[in-house]
Amino acid sequence: MKKILLSFLLAVPILGYSQSYQVNLQGQKQTAMGGAGTGVALDEAAVFFNPGAVSFLKKNGVQAGGSAIFLKAAFKENGSNITEYTKDKLTVPPAAYAVFGNPNNRLRFGLGVYVPFGGAVHWDPNWTGKYTVTSLDLQAIFVQPTLSYKITDHIGIGAGFVYSNGKVDLKRGIPLTLNDGTSATAQLKGHSHDFGWNAGIYVETISGVTIGVTHRSQVTAQVKDGDAIFKVPQALQDGFPTKFNANLPLPATSSIGLGFYPSSKTIIAVDANWVHWSKYKVLAFDYNNNSRIPNTSSPRNYHDGGAVRVGIQNMATERLALRLGAAYAFTPVGKGYVTPEVPDANRILLSAGLGYKASERFSIDLSFLYENIKSRNETNIETNLSGDFKTVAYIPGIALSYKW
């Protein structure tokens, strides 16, 4: 039984909203423009997109918002005519920023609170892959104080220290039967507190094109003494662990972006992102009681992923801005490693949005993002779960901002 239990505890998580469990919803203007924002100084969200561009913002300001993620994943086992779907689960990652300091000075300050990694997937407790996962909730909230400095009138640099507050809650079935006839279950819950950094440079060229280059460091989420909750037959309870330790890499991202300004009313932003997923080789769990379950080390063998993004903003009137965007993201999940937690594949992103300036100080921005993750037929090398995965996401968002 020990060997059987091990096979069901090897694989773990996670479904995000960009690549694997990465989330790219840190600013409504940028989301509406395909997620591009590294090479332009649009608003306070530059704290995330390029700290070097913060010193080029013409006004101080605060903004707060969120994006409502409606995600639906489907699985059809090979040889079956039945398609199973995830439950409806609304997730709203927030994002808030503040930029302050004298706009006429070279030094500016910023603060950002955002969610760059997360995921939520909830299958029926008795679905085909219940021994792989039945539900997962993951979220890493980053808090980033930032300094931005204009070296010259046309070059700015910036950097921010990152504090990450993470949580994970994973549930799955295990191949034992309880006295009431239902399947035994395992739940792993824990929190992490970790650190990283975000830095960037922003350049205005003599041609009028702006250039941004950024790097966000890897943060390794370390769960220590997380709760391992096993609902198993009473006679077996004493042999199961109650605590676990685990590490999950939240990978570094390097980006380069360009800004073009064909008229005083129009901005075109182009980004390329490189996500260092290849650091994610193994997912390991250490338990405090190995009587029935040994420590596990599960290979992931991700490769680096990337994305190209383009967006446009046009001021239709003095108060109304219209935005469109598109992107294509390349999955880091290789053949044989796709799981119900990460039914990842290459994906197409289409977005639109608008901004309305209600007054000189107050404005509202809306965005809508559609993600189409390509269907993928895979057989997982550990669980042998084999079939077609297909996922789509619909993500409306809103942000309110105040400037002075």
Side-chain angles (χ1 to χ4, degrees):
M1 185 178 69
K2 189 173 182 177
K3 185 177 180 179
I4 295 174
L5 288 172
L6 170 63
S7 68
F8 288 100
L9 291 168
L10 275 172
V12 170
I14 290 132
L15 177 61
Y17 311 107
S18 181
Q19 292 175 346
S20 190
Y21 48 91
Q22 187 182 46
V23 177
N24 286 312
L25 299 168
Q26 284 75 33
Q28 296 304 323
K29 292 179 181 177
Q30 295 82 358
T31 298
M33 297 171 68
T38 305
V40 293
L42 283 179
D43 63 2
E44 297 81 15
V47 170
F48 168 82
F49 284 93
N50 188 344
V54 171
S55 57
F56 284 80
L57 296 176
K58 292 181 171 57
K59 294 182 178 181
N60 291 326
V62 294
Q63 68 165 268
S67 299
I69 301 170
F70 299 90
L71 180 143
K72 183 65 74 177
F75 174 75
K76 183 178 178 182
E77 190 176 27
N78 286 335
S80 172
N81 293 323
I82 299 174
T83 300
E84 299 172 272
Y85 297 92
T86 53
K87 296 180 178 180
D88 293 332
K89 172 72 174 179
L90 178 63
T91 305
V92 185
Y97 303 95
V99 170
F100 46 94
N102 188 336
N104 296 319
N105 290 345
R106 292 192 180 279
L107 182 64
R108 302 286 290 282
F109 305 92
L111 178 65
V113 181
Y114 52 87
V115 180
F117 296 94
V121 60
H122 291 245
W123 296 91
D124 185 276
N126 293 309
W127 82 291
T128 302
K130 66 180 181 180
Y131 296 132
T132 303
V133 68
T134 54
S135 71
L136 175 75
D137 292 284
L138 171 79
Q139 188 178 63
I141 299 175
F142 281 20
V143 179
Q144 181 193 317
T146 299
L147 293 176
S148 185
Y149 184 75
K150 273 186 181 178
I151 300 174
T152 72
D153 289 342
H154 302 287
I155 301 175
I157 58 173
F161 165 84
V162 166
Y163 163 70
S164 170
N165 186 322
K167 66 178 182 180
V168 62
D169 186 346
L170 168 73
K171 297 177 183 176
R172 64 179 57 184
I174 56 178
L176 295 171
T177 303
L178 300 176
N179 293 335
D180 62 3
T182 61
S183 294
T185 60
Q187 182 178 15
L188 302 178
K189 297 174 61 179
H191 292 81
S192 62
H193 305 277
D194 308 284
F195 303 97
W197 53 270
N198 181 9
I201 182 170
Y202 178 81
V203 179
E204 292 180 340
T205 67
I206 56 175
S207 66
V209 175
T210 54
I211 303 171
V213 178
T214 66
H215 183 79
R216 295 189 289 275
S217 76
Q218 175 176 315
V219 174
T220 301
Q222 304 177 69
V223 178
K224 297 180 179 178
D225 293 327
D227 294 322
I229 304 168
F230 288 85
K231 293 183 178 180
V232 298
Q234 190 65 36
L236 303 175
Q237 190 72 61
D238 290 343
F240 281 85
T242 57
K243 296 290 181 181
F244 75 98
N245 296 329
N247 294 335
L248 181 68
L250 310 178
T253 300
S254 303
S255 300
I256 182 169
L258 302 174
F260 302 93
Y261 309 86
S263 76
S264 60
K265 297 181 178 180
T266 303
I267 299 173
I268 298 173
V270 180
D271 272 25
N273 313 128
W274 189 259
V275 188
H276 301 249
W277 282 109
S278 58
K279 298 293 184 182
Y280 190 21
K281 297 295 186 185
V282 169
L283 180 65
F285 289 91
D286 295 333
Y287 297 102
N288 66 335
N289 184 344
N290 298 122
S291 297
R292 297 189 184 278
I293 299 174
N295 296 333
T296 62
S297 180
S298 177
R300 284 295 179 267
N301 295 320
Y302 276 25
H303 51 76
D304 287 346
V308 291
R309 307 174 186 277
V310 61
I312 183 170
Q313 171 181 282
N314 179 261
M315 295 301 300
T317 71
E318 290 186 357
R319 292 183 179 274
L320 180 64
L322 302 178
R323 303 180 182 105
L324 286 174
Y328 191 88
F330 302 89
T331 180
V333 183
K335 186 174 179 59
Y337 294 94
V338 175
T339 71
E341 301 89 358
V342 189
D344 202 43
N346 295 339
R347 63 184 67 193
I348 297 171
L349 302 90
L350 302 173
S351 63
L354 59 86
Y356 183 72
K357 191 175 179 181
S359 71
E360 282 300 312
R361 295 180 180 271
F362 181 76
S363 61
I364 182 171
D365 292 284
L366 305 172
S367 71
F368 183 83
L369 174 63
Y370 167 71
E371 293 198 22
N372 188 321
I373 296 91
K374 290 185 175 180
S375 61
R376 189 168 183 176
N377 190 290
E378 283 280 345
T379 300
N380 186 273
I381 63 174
E382 292 178 323
T383 66
N384 290 319
L385 185 66
S386 181
D388 275 313
F389 293 94
K390 175 64 180 177
T391 306
V392 295
Y394 306 90
I395 310 173
I398 184 172
L400 304 177
S401 63
Y402 182 84
K403 301 183 188 304
W404 68 91

